[in-house]
Amino acid sequence: MAQDAQAKPAEEKQTNCLGCGKPIKKLKRYYRNGKYFCNKRCWKKSLKTKEEAA
């Protein structure tokens, strides 16, 4: 049993918005594409920066 715990790292919970970096509150979450954002504006901002990088 101890080997199973070592082989599988614990999955970390996302605490900050990927668009602006602010802490995400439980009541105010915007979930898109497997990630959490604080609002729709930050989600669109992250899409825009991803397109510019590509």
Side-chain angles (χ1 to χ4, degrees):
M1 284 189 196
Q3 292 175 356
D4 293 335
Q6 291 174 357
K8 226 178 185 183
E11 194 172 315
E12 292 186 25
K13 192 174 181 183
Q14 183 183 344
T15 57
N16 292 337
C17 173
L18 295 174
C20 62
K22 288 192 271 186
I24 298 175
K25 297 183 178 169
K26 188 174 182 180
L27 292 174
K28 208 172 176 188
R29 288 188 293 192
Y30 194 76
Y31 183 77
R32 289 291 183 264
N33 299 333
K35 309 222 185 294
Y36 288 100
F37 302 92
C38 59
N39 55 28
K40 191 173 185 177
R41 184 184 306 162
C42 286
W43 173 63
K44 288 193 176 200
K45 181 180 174 183
S46 72
L47 288 178
K48 189 176 183 181
T49 56
K50 193 184 287 185
E51 287 177 0
E52 289 175 356

